[in-house]
Amino acid sequence: MADDALIVVSNLVKRFGPKVVLRGLEFTVKPGEFVALLGPNGAGKTTFLRILSSLSSPTLGRVRVAGHELPRQAAAVRQRLGVVSHLPLLYGDLTAEENLRFYGRMYGVAALERRITEVLALVGLAPRRRDLVRTFSRGMQQRLAIGRAIIHDPEVLLLDEPHTGLDQDACDMLDQILTQVAARGRTVVMTSHDLTRVEDLASRFDVLTRGSIRATTSRQDMPRDGLLAFYRRSLEAAKTDPGAAQ
Amino acid sequence: MSAFLRAMGAVVWKDLAAELRSRELISSMLVFALLVILIFNFALELDASARANVTSGVLWVTFVFAGTLGLNRSLAIEKDRGCLDGLLLAPVDRTAIYFGKAAANLVFILVVAAIVLPVYSVLYNTNLFAQPGVLLVILLGAEGYTAVGTLLATMAVQTRTRDILLPILLFPVVIPVLVAAVKATSGYLQALPLDEIRPWLNLLVTYDLVFTAAAFMVFEYVVEE
């Protein structure tokens, strides 16, 4: 287990009744890494991110984020995490700045008004700061959702399929924001089905299928035939793996 | 403690600010409450003495029905856009979220009561403001109702049958507060001596304390996945 790792997960098991979603998952992330978590529907990606974000408890195994154990030290972990899902987690009847003000208060952000201005500028919504969120397009809501997730300047950003339902322009803008956030040294773990987009964004690619990480590669070690071929080979290998019980 | 109060205050502010803008929750509760009162008024066709006897019952049934509508909507707003997860991700004691939601729901019910009472007084020819004790009973009854209702609405909203489930869970649990509130309200309206009303007031206070404490202890488990 790497001592310098920001996220350490070992032998993680998650069961919902008789259904085993995660089976002895091992996962380590170093500070500053941008990890793309790839996998088919039902692979357990969302469940895994919900456990990392303390929204769900592991059945078995160890999860440590930023030096704090889950679920025992959940509040300390939450202080260091920002989470973006395919739902915006925003209130439609509040303005953009009111949403950020609310979440900023929940996180106890110091100099909140200055921070709100900074974040709105970063996500390109400063001119719309006093508009109600329900008047925003899906792309604008997702940009504000990133603003909400980084209002407290977290060390780790978890994103669960953030491109879902966005058009090309909105995806491009989202990617620009994510690139800026990652460039500030933040650690990012993102699930996605869009291999073309994550290929340009992430520094590491993990394939999660049948409840565990089956393959991993970095941008430097990427096979010549590209991410899509790597991904398909990983899924095929997992199907023939005797340990990959249904 | 300051972080707890800050988080609780933020939740109350958020709920009130959103409601002030949309008026979605209070308007639906209010319209429903007024309709219930009107229906009772026309359906029962009571004479003056019979009206005096049923006043407190009709009033509390109205509050309970309208309150259920409001509780369901208050938590559905959190669930539908994933905002409940947003709240649970905050690094605060989760009971601060519960108390914030319960306080906002109490305000909504009291606002509805403040509008319903004068309307009721006119329609039923009963001055509900003649006895200030009635207002105390409404405050105590609404507190107990929202304390339990907010907790159960948080449970119900996580299921697919939330609209049906909340009344099924809530109504049996609020029977003690409903009975005590009806009896105490009726006692004040009939100008009974305080000694006869006091047991019902004591029951209301006890219910409020016990269920607020119970909600404080179990809310963390209710929202846990």
Side-chain angles (χ1 to χ4, degrees), chain A residues 14 16 47 50 53-57 75-76 78-79 81 83 87-95 98-99 101-109 132-134 141 148, chain B residues 3 6-15 17-19 21-22 24 77-94 97 220 223-225:
Chain A
K14 179 67 182 180
F16 291 103
T47 301
R50 287 183 72 80
S53 60
S54 81
L55 287 172
S56 184
S57 297
R78 286 186 214 123
Q79 186 68 56
L81 281 182
V83 178
L87 286 171
L89 281 63
L90 297 167
Y91 295 93
D93 288 317
L94 297 183
T95 65
E98 283 172 344
N99 267 286
R101 192 171 293 128
F102 167 64
Y103 281 108
R105 285 177 186 165
M106 294 297 281
Y107 281 87
V109 176
L132 293 180
V133 166
R134 66 174 138 88
Q141 289 194 17
R148 172 194 53 72
Chain B
R6 186 193 67 230
M8 185 183 155
V11 174
V12 174
W13 170 82
K14 179 265 297 174
D15 274 7
E19 182 55 27
R21 203 160 274 143
S22 71
E24 183 186 330
I77 290 167
E78 302 291 353
K79 187 69 181 172
D80 290 345
R81 295 172 67 89
C83 295
L84 190 58
D85 280 352
L87 292 177
L88 298 178
L89 283 166
V92 296
D93 186 336
R94 283 174 168 171
I97 298 167
E220 175 87 33
V223 292
E224 198 171 85
E225 190 172 280

Coordinates of all heavy atoms in Angstrom, one line a residue, chain A residues 14 16 47 50 53-57 75-76 78-79 81 83 87-95 98-99 101-109 132-134 141 148, chain B residues 3 6-15 17-19 21-22 24 77-94 97 220 223-225:
Chain A
K14 N -19.0 -4.8 -1.7 CA -20.3 -4.1 -1.4 C -21.4 -5.0 -1.9 O -21.4 -5.5 -3.1 CB -20.4 -2.8 -2.2 CG -21.7 -2.1 -2.0 CD -21.9 -1.6 -0.5 CE -23.3 -0.9 -0.3 NZ -23.5 -0.5 1.0
F16 N -25.7 -5.6 -2.0 CA -27.0 -5.1 -1.7 C -27.9 -6.4 -1.6 O -28.2 -7.0 -2.6 CB -27.5 -4.3 -2.9 CG -26.8 -2.9 -3.0 CD1 -25.8 -2.7 -3.9 CD2 -27.1 -1.9 -2.1 CE1 -25.2 -1.5 -4.0 CE2 -26.5 -0.7 -2.2 CZ -25.5 -0.5 -3.1
T47 N -21.6 2.8 -7.7 CA -21.5 2.3 -6.3 C -20.2 2.6 -5.6 O -20.1 3.1 -4.5 CB -21.8 0.8 -6.3 OG1 -23.1 0.6 -6.8 CG2 -21.8 0.2 -4.9
R50 N -19.9 6.3 -4.8 CA -20.8 6.6 -3.7 C -20.1 6.2 -2.4 O -20.2 6.8 -1.3 CB -22.1 5.9 -3.8 CG -23.0 6.6 -4.8 CD -24.4 6.1 -4.9 NE -25.2 6.4 -3.7 CZ -25.9 7.6 -3.6 NH1 -25.8 8.5 -4.5 NH2 -26.6 7.8 -2.5
S53 N -17.3 8.6 -1.7 CA -17.8 9.9 -1.3 C -18.6 9.9 0.1 O -19.2 10.8 0.5 CB -18.7 10.5 -2.3 OG -19.8 9.7 -2.6
S54 N -18.6 8.7 0.7 CA -19.2 8.5 2.0 C -20.7 8.4 2.0 O -21.4 8.4 3.0 CB -18.7 9.5 3.1 OG -19.5 10.7 2.9
L55 N -21.3 8.4 0.8 CA -22.8 8.3 0.7 C -23.2 6.9 0.9 O -24.4 6.6 1.1 CB -23.2 8.8 -0.7 CG -23.2 10.3 -0.9 CD1 -23.5 10.7 -2.3 CD2 -24.1 11.0 0.1
S56 N -22.3 5.9 0.8 CA -22.7 4.5 1.0 C -21.6 3.9 1.8 O -20.4 4.2 1.6 CB -22.8 3.8 -0.4 OG -23.2 2.5 -0.3
S57 N -21.9 2.9 2.6 CA -20.9 2.2 3.4 C -20.4 0.9 2.8 O -21.2 0.2 2.2 CB -21.5 1.9 4.8 OG -21.8 3.1 5.5
A75 N -16.9 12.7 8.1 CA -17.0 14.1 8.0 C -15.7 14.7 7.5 O -15.7 15.7 6.7 CB -17.4 14.7 9.3
A76 N -14.6 14.2 8.0 CA -13.3 14.7 7.6 C -13.0 14.4 6.1 O -12.4 15.2 5.4 CB -12.2 14.0 8.5
R78 N -15.4 14.1 3.8 CA -16.3 15.0 3.1 C -15.8 16.4 2.9 O -16.0 17.1 1.9 CB -17.7 15.1 3.8 CG -18.5 13.8 3.6 CD -19.9 14.0 4.2 NE -20.4 12.8 4.7 CZ -20.8 12.6 6.0 NH1 -20.8 13.6 6.8 NH2 -21.2 11.5 6.4
Q79 N -15.0 16.9 3.9 CA -14.4 18.2 3.9 C -13.4 18.3 2.7 O -13.2 19.4 2.2 CB -13.8 18.5 5.2 CG -13.3 20.0 5.3 CD -14.4 21.0 5.4 OE1 -15.3 21.0 6.2 NE2 -14.3 22.0 4.4
L81 N -13.5 16.4 -0.1 CA -14.1 15.9 -1.4 C -15.0 16.9 -2.1 O -15.8 17.6 -1.4 CB -14.9 14.7 -1.1 CG -14.2 13.3 -0.9 CD1 -15.4 12.3 -0.7 CD2 -13.4 12.9 -2.0
V83 N -17.9 16.5 -5.2 CA -18.6 15.4 -6.0 C -19.5 16.0 -7.0 O -20.3 16.9 -6.7 CB -19.4 14.5 -5.0 CG1 -20.2 13.4 -5.8 CG2 -18.5 13.8 -4.0
L87 N -26.7 14.1 -12.0 CA -27.7 15.1 -11.5 C -27.0 16.3 -10.9 O -25.9 16.2 -10.4 CB -28.5 14.5 -10.3 CG -29.5 13.4 -10.7 CD1 -30.1 12.7 -9.5 CD2 -30.7 14.0 -11.6
P88 N -27.6 17.5 -11.1 CA -26.8 18.7 -10.8 C -26.6 19.0 -9.3 O -25.7 19.7 -8.9 CB -27.6 19.8 -11.4 CG -29.0 19.3 -11.6 CD -28.8 17.8 -11.8
L89 N -27.5 18.4 -8.4 CA -27.5 18.7 -7.0 C -27.6 20.2 -6.7 O -27.0 20.7 -5.8 CB -26.2 18.2 -6.3 CG -26.1 16.7 -6.0 CD1 -26.1 15.8 -7.3 CD2 -24.8 16.3 -5.2
L90 N -28.5 20.8 -7.5 CA -28.7 22.3 -7.4 C -30.2 22.6 -7.2 O -31.0 21.8 -7.6 CB -28.2 23.0 -8.6 CG -26.7 22.9 -8.9 CD1 -26.4 23.4 -10.3 CD2 -25.9 23.7 -7.9
Y91 N -30.5 23.7 -6.6 CA -31.9 24.1 -6.3 C -32.3 25.1 -7.5 O -31.7 26.2 -7.6 CB -32.0 24.8 -5.0 CG -31.7 23.8 -3.9 CD1 -30.4 23.7 -3.3 CD2 -32.7 22.9 -3.4 CE1 -30.1 22.7 -2.3 CE2 -32.4 22.0 -2.4 CZ -31.1 21.9 -1.9 OH -30.9 21.0 -0.9
G92 N -33.3 24.7 -8.2 CA -33.8 25.5 -9.3 C -34.4 26.8 -9.0 O -34.3 27.7 -9.8
D93 N -34.9 26.9 -7.7 CA -35.5 28.2 -7.3 C -34.6 29.1 -6.6 O -35.0 30.1 -6.1 CB -36.8 27.9 -6.5 CG -37.9 27.3 -7.3 OD1 -38.2 27.8 -8.4 OD2 -38.5 26.4 -6.8
L94 N -33.3 28.8 -6.6 CA -32.3 29.7 -6.1 C -31.4 30.1 -7.3 O -31.3 29.4 -8.3 CB -31.4 29.0 -5.1 CG -32.0 28.5 -3.8 CD1 -31.0 27.9 -2.9 CD2 -32.8 29.6 -3.1
T95 N -30.8 31.3 -7.2 CA -29.9 31.8 -8.2 C -28.6 31.0 -8.2 O -28.3 30.3 -7.2 CB -29.6 33.3 -8.1 OG1 -28.9 33.5 -6.9 CG2 -30.9 34.1 -8.1
E98 N -26.8 32.1 -5.1 CA -27.4 31.6 -3.9 C -27.1 30.1 -3.6 O -26.9 29.7 -2.5 CB -28.9 31.8 -4.0 CG -29.3 33.3 -3.7 CD -30.8 33.6 -4.0 OE1 -31.5 32.7 -4.7 OE2 -31.3 34.6 -3.6
N99 N -27.1 29.3 -4.7 CA -26.8 27.9 -4.6 C -25.4 27.8 -4.0 O -25.1 27.0 -3.1 CB -26.8 27.2 -5.9 CG -28.2 26.6 -6.2 OD1 -28.5 25.5 -5.6 ND2 -29.0 27.2 -7.0
R101 N -23.7 30.0 -2.3 CA -23.7 30.6 -1.0 C -24.2 29.5 0.0 O -23.6 29.3 1.1 CB -24.5 31.8 -0.9 CG -24.3 32.6 0.4 CD -25.0 34.0 0.3 NE -24.4 34.8 -0.7 CZ -25.1 35.5 -1.7 NH1 -26.4 35.3 -1.8 NH2 -24.5 36.2 -2.5
F102 N -25.2 28.8 -0.4 CA -25.8 27.8 0.5 C -24.8 26.7 0.7 O -24.5 26.3 1.9 CB -27.1 27.2 -0.1 CG -27.5 25.9 0.6 CD1 -27.9 25.9 1.9 CD2 -27.5 24.7 -0.1 CE1 -28.3 24.8 2.6 CE2 -27.9 23.6 0.5 CZ -28.3 23.6 1.9
Y103 N -24.2 26.2 -0.3 CA -23.2 25.1 -0.1 C -21.9 25.6 0.6 O -21.3 24.9 1.3 CB -22.9 24.4 -1.5 CG -24.0 23.4 -1.9 CD1 -24.8 23.7 -3.0 CD2 -24.1 22.2 -1.2 CE1 -25.8 22.8 -3.3 CE2 -25.1 21.4 -1.6 CZ -26.0 21.7 -2.7 OH -27.0 20.8 -3.0
G104 N -21.6 26.8 0.3 CA -20.4 27.4 1.0 C -20.6 27.5 2.5 O -19.7 27.2 3.2
R105 N -21.8 27.8 2.9 CA -22.1 27.9 4.3 C -22.1 26.5 4.9 O -21.6 26.3 6.0 CB -23.5 28.5 4.5 CG -23.6 30.0 4.4 CD -25.0 30.5 4.6 NE -25.1 31.9 4.3 CZ -26.2 32.5 4.0 NH1 -27.4 31.9 4.1 NH2 -26.2 33.8 3.8
M106 N -22.6 25.5 4.2 CA -22.6 24.1 4.7 C -21.2 23.6 4.9 O -20.9 22.8 5.7 CB -23.3 23.2 3.7 CG -24.8 23.4 3.5 SD -25.7 23.1 5.1 CE -25.9 21.4 5.1
Y107 N -20.2 24.1 4.0 CA -18.8 23.6 4.1 C -18.0 24.6 5.0 O -16.8 24.4 5.2 CB -18.2 23.5 2.7 CG -18.6 22.3 2.0 CD1 -19.8 22.2 1.2 CD2 -17.9 21.1 2.1 CE1 -20.1 21.1 0.5 CE2 -18.2 20.0 1.4 CZ -19.4 20.0 0.7 OH -19.8 18.8 0.0
G108 N -18.6 25.7 5.5 CA -17.9 26.6 6.4 C -16.8 27.3 5.6 O -15.7 27.5 6.2
V109 N -17.0 27.7 4.4 CA -16.0 28.4 3.6 C -15.7 29.8 4.1 O -16.7 30.6 4.3 CB -16.4 28.4 2.1 CG1 -15.4 29.2 1.2 CG2 -16.6 27.0 1.5
L132 N -32.0 32.5 -12.0 CA -32.4 31.3 -11.3 C -31.8 30.1 -12.1 O -31.8 30.1 -13.3 CB -33.9 31.2 -11.3 CG -34.7 32.2 -10.5 CD1 -36.2 32.0 -10.6 CD2 -34.2 32.1 -9.0
V133 N -31.5 29.1 -11.3 CA -30.8 27.9 -11.9 C -31.8 27.2 -12.8 O -31.4 26.6 -13.8 CB -30.3 27.0 -10.8 CG1 -29.9 25.6 -11.3 CG2 -29.1 27.6 -10.2
R134 N -33.1 27.3 -12.5 CA -34.1 26.5 -13.4 C -34.2 27.2 -14.8 O -34.7 26.5 -15.7 CB -35.5 26.5 -12.7 CG -36.2 27.7 -12.6 CD -37.6 27.4 -12.0 NE -38.1 28.3 -11.0 CZ -38.7 29.4 -11.2 NH1 -39.0 29.8 -12.4 NH2 -39.1 30.2 -10.2
Q141 N -26.0 24.2 -16.1 CA -26.2 23.6 -14.8 C -25.1 22.7 -14.4 O -24.6 22.6 -13.2 CB -27.5 22.7 -14.7 CG -28.8 23.6 -14.8 CD -30.0 22.9 -14.5 OE1 -30.0 21.8 -13.9 NE2 -31.2 23.5 -14.8
R148 N -20.2 24.2 -7.6 CA -20.7 23.7 -6.3 C -19.7 22.8 -5.6 O -19.4 22.8 -4.5 CB -22.1 23.1 -6.4 CG -22.6 22.4 -5.2 CD -23.7 21.5 -5.4 NE -23.5 20.5 -6.5 CZ -22.7 19.4 -6.4 NH1 -22.0 19.2 -5.2 NH2 -22.5 18.6 -7.4
Chain B
A3 N -20.9 25.2 14.1 CA -21.0 24.6 12.8 C -22.4 23.9 12.7 O -23.0 24.0 11.6 CB -19.9 23.5 12.6
R6 N -24.8 26.8 12.2 CA -24.5 27.4 10.8 C -25.2 26.5 9.7 O -25.9 27.0 8.9 CB -23.0 27.5 10.6 CG -22.7 28.2 9.3 CD -21.2 28.0 9.0 NE -20.9 26.6 8.6 CZ -19.9 25.9 9.1 NH1 -19.1 26.4 10.0 NH2 -19.8 24.7 8.7
A7 N -25.0 25.2 9.8 CA -25.6 24.3 8.8 C -27.1 24.3 8.9 O -27.8 24.4 7.9 CB -25.0 22.9 9.0
M8 N -27.6 24.3 10.2 CA -29.1 24.3 10.3 C -29.7 25.6 9.8 O -30.7 25.5 9.0 CB -29.4 24.1 11.8 CG -30.8 24.0 12.1 SD -31.1 23.9 13.9 CE -32.8 24.5 14.0
G9 N -29.0 26.7 10.1 CA -29.5 28.0 9.6 C -29.4 28.0 8.1 O -30.3 28.6 7.4
A10 N -28.4 27.4 7.5 CA -28.2 27.5 6.0 C -29.4 26.7 5.4 O -30.0 27.1 4.4 CB -26.9 26.8 5.6
V11 N -29.8 25.5 6.0 CA -30.9 24.7 5.4 C -32.2 25.5 5.5 O -33.0 25.5 4.6 CB -31.0 23.4 6.1 CG1 -32.2 22.6 5.6 CG2 -29.7 22.5 5.8
V12 N -32.4 26.1 6.7 CA -33.7 26.9 6.9 C -33.7 28.0 5.9 O -34.7 28.3 5.2 CB -33.8 27.5 8.3 CG1 -35.0 28.4 8.4 CG2 -33.9 26.3 9.3
W13 N -32.6 28.8 5.7 CA -32.5 29.9 4.8 C -32.8 29.5 3.4 O -33.6 30.1 2.7 CB -31.1 30.6 4.9 CG -30.9 31.6 3.8 CD1 -31.3 32.9 3.8 CD2 -30.3 31.3 2.5 NE1 -31.0 33.5 2.6 CE2 -30.4 32.5 1.8 CE3 -29.7 30.2 1.9 CZ2 -29.9 32.7 0.5 CZ3 -29.2 30.3 0.6 CH2 -29.3 31.6 -0.1
K14 N -32.2 28.4 3.0 CA -32.3 27.8 1.6 C -33.8 27.5 1.4 O -34.4 27.8 0.3 CB -31.4 26.6 1.5 CG -31.5 25.9 0.2 CD -32.4 24.7 0.1 CE -32.0 23.6 1.1 NZ -33.1 22.6 1.1
D15 N -34.4 26.8 2.3 CA -35.8 26.4 2.1 C -36.8 27.6 2.0 O -37.7 27.6 1.2 CB -36.3 25.4 3.2 CG -35.9 24.0 3.0 OD1 -35.2 23.7 2.0 OD2 -36.4 23.1 3.7
A17 N -36.0 30.7 1.3 CA -35.7 31.6 0.1 C -36.3 30.9 -1.1 O -36.9 31.6 -2.0 CB -34.1 31.7 -0.1
A18 N -36.1 29.6 -1.3 CA -36.7 28.9 -2.5 C -38.2 29.0 -2.5 O -38.8 29.2 -3.5 CB -36.2 27.5 -2.5
E19 N -38.8 28.9 -1.3 CA -40.3 28.9 -1.2 C -40.8 30.3 -1.4 O -41.8 30.4 -2.1 CB -40.7 28.3 0.2 CG -42.2 28.3 0.4 CD -42.9 27.4 -0.7 OE1 -42.3 26.5 -1.3 OE2 -44.1 27.7 -1.0
R21 N -39.7 32.3 -3.4 CA -39.7 32.6 -4.8 C -40.7 31.8 -5.6 O -41.4 32.3 -6.4 CB -38.3 32.3 -5.3 CG -37.9 32.9 -6.6 CD -36.4 33.0 -6.8 NE -35.8 34.1 -6.1 CZ -34.6 34.0 -5.5 NH1 -33.9 32.9 -5.5 NH2 -34.0 35.1 -5.0
S22 N -40.8 30.5 -5.2 CA -41.7 29.6 -6.0 C -43.1 29.6 -5.5 O -44.1 29.4 -6.2 CB -41.1 28.2 -6.0 OG -41.3 27.6 -4.8
E24 N -44.5 27.3 -4.2 CA -45.1 26.1 -4.7 C -45.7 25.2 -3.5 O -46.8 24.7 -3.6 CB -43.9 25.3 -5.3 CG -44.3 24.0 -5.9 CD -43.0 23.2 -6.4 OE1 -42.1 23.9 -6.8 OE2 -43.0 22.0 -6.4
I77 N -38.5 17.7 -3.3 CA -37.6 18.8 -3.9 C -36.1 18.4 -3.7 O -35.3 18.5 -4.6 CB -37.9 20.2 -3.3 CG1 -39.3 20.6 -3.8 CG2 -36.8 21.2 -3.7 CD1 -39.8 21.9 -3.0
E78 N -35.8 17.9 -2.5 CA -34.4 17.5 -2.2 C -34.0 16.2 -3.1 O -32.9 16.1 -3.5 CB -34.3 17.1 -0.8 CG -34.6 18.2 0.2 CD -33.6 19.4 0.1 OE1 -32.6 19.3 -0.5 OE2 -33.9 20.4 0.8
K79 N -35.0 15.3 -3.2 CA -34.6 14.0 -3.8 C -34.5 14.1 -5.4 O -33.6 13.5 -6.0 CB -35.7 13.0 -3.4 CG -35.4 11.6 -3.8 CD -34.2 11.0 -3.1 CE -33.9 9.6 -3.5 NZ -32.6 9.1 -2.9
D80 N -35.5 14.9 -6.0 CA -35.6 14.8 -7.4 C -34.4 15.3 -8.2 O -34.1 14.8 -9.2 CB -36.9 15.6 -7.8 CG -38.1 14.8 -7.4 OD1 -38.0 13.6 -7.0 OD2 -39.2 15.4 -7.4
R81 N -33.7 16.3 -7.7 CA -32.6 16.8 -8.3 C -31.3 16.4 -7.7 O -30.2 17.0 -7.9 CB -32.6 18.3 -8.4 CG -33.8 18.8 -9.2 CD -34.0 20.3 -9.1 NE -32.9 21.1 -9.7 CZ -32.8 21.5 -10.9 NH1 -33.8 21.2 -11.8 NH2 -31.8 22.1 -11.4
G82 N -31.4 15.3 -6.8 CA -30.2 14.8 -6.2 C -29.7 15.7 -5.0 O -28.6 15.4 -4.5
C83 N -30.5 16.7 -4.6 CA -30.0 17.6 -3.6 C -29.8 17.0 -2.2 O -29.0 17.4 -1.4 CB -30.9 18.8 -3.5 SG -30.9 19.8 -5.0
L84 N -30.6 15.9 -2.0 CA -30.4 15.2 -0.7 C -29.0 14.7 -0.6 O -28.4 14.8 0.4 CB -31.4 14.0 -0.6 CG -31.5 13.4 0.8 CD1 -31.9 14.4 1.8 CD2 -32.5 12.2 0.7
D85 N -28.5 14.2 -1.7 CA -27.0 13.7 -1.7 C -26.1 14.9 -1.5 O -25.1 14.9 -0.8 CB -26.7 13.1 -3.1 CG -27.1 11.6 -3.1 OD1 -27.6 11.1 -2.1 OD2 -27.0 11.1 -4.2
G86 N -26.5 16.1 -2.1 CA -25.7 17.3 -1.9 C -25.6 17.7 -0.4 O -24.6 18.1 0.1
L87 N -26.8 17.6 0.3 CA -26.8 17.9 1.7 C -26.0 16.9 2.5 O -25.2 17.2 3.4 CB -28.3 17.8 2.2 CG -29.2 18.9 1.7 CD1 -30.6 18.7 2.3 CD2 -28.8 20.3 2.1
L88 N -26.1 15.6 2.1 CA -25.4 14.5 2.9 C -23.9 14.6 2.7 O -23.2 14.0 3.5 CB -26.0 13.2 2.5 CG -27.5 13.0 2.8 CD1 -28.0 11.6 2.4 CD2 -27.8 13.2 4.3
L89 N -23.5 15.2 1.6 CA -22.1 15.3 1.3 C -21.4 16.4 2.1 O -20.1 16.4 2.2 CB -21.8 15.6 -0.2 CG -22.0 14.4 -1.1 CD1 -22.1 14.8 -2.6 CD2 -20.9 13.4 -1.0
A90 N -22.2 17.2 2.7 CA -21.6 18.3 3.5 C -21.0 17.8 4.8 O -21.5 16.9 5.4 CB -22.7 19.4 3.8
P91 N -19.8 18.4 5.2 CA -19.1 17.8 6.3 C -19.7 18.4 7.7 O -19.0 19.0 8.4 CB -17.7 18.4 6.1 CG -17.9 19.6 5.4 CD -19.1 19.5 4.5
V92 N -21.0 18.1 7.8 CA -21.7 18.6 9.0 C -22.4 17.4 9.7 O -22.6 16.4 9.1 CB -22.7 19.7 8.7 CG1 -22.0 20.9 8.2 CG2 -23.8 19.2 7.8
D93 N -22.7 17.6 11.0 CA -23.5 16.6 11.7 C -24.9 16.5 10.9 O -25.5 17.6 10.7 CB -23.8 17.1 13.1 CG -24.5 16.1 14.0 OD1 -25.2 15.3 13.4 OD2 -24.3 16.2 15.2
R94 N -25.2 15.3 10.5 CA -26.4 15.2 9.7 C -27.7 15.6 10.4 O -28.7 15.9 9.7 CB -26.5 13.8 9.1 CG -25.5 13.6 8.0 CD -25.4 12.2 7.5 NE -24.7 12.2 6.2 CZ -24.2 11.1 5.6 NH1 -24.5 9.9 6.1 NH2 -23.6 11.2 4.5
I97 N -29.0 18.9 9.4 CA -29.8 18.9 8.2 C -31.3 18.6 8.6 O -32.2 19.3 8.1 CB -29.3 17.9 7.2 CG1 -27.9 18.2 6.8 CG2 -30.2 17.8 6.0 CD1 -27.2 17.1 6.0
E220 N -29.4 9.9 11.3 CA -28.2 9.4 10.6 C -28.4 8.1 9.9 O -28.0 7.8 8.8 CB -27.1 9.4 11.7 CG -25.8 8.8 11.2 CD -24.9 9.8 10.5 OE1 -24.9 11.0 11.0 OE2 -24.1 9.4 9.6
V223 N -30.8 8.1 6.7 CA -30.3 8.6 5.4 C -29.1 7.7 5.0 O -28.6 7.9 3.9 CB -29.9 10.0 5.5 CG1 -31.1 10.9 5.7 CG2 -28.9 10.3 6.6
E224 N -28.7 6.8 5.8 CA -27.6 5.9 5.4 C -28.0 4.9 4.4 O -29.1 4.3 4.4 CB -27.0 5.2 6.6 CG -25.6 4.7 6.5 CD -25.1 4.2 7.8 OE1 -25.3 3.0 8.1 OE2 -24.4 4.9 8.5
E225 N -27.1 4.7 3.4 CA -27.4 3.7 2.3 C -26.9 2.3 2.7 O -25.7 2.2 3.0 CB -26.7 4.2 1.0 CG -27.2 3.4 -0.2 CD -26.7 4.0 -1.5 OE1 -27.3 5.0 -1.9 OE2 -25.6 3.5 -2.0

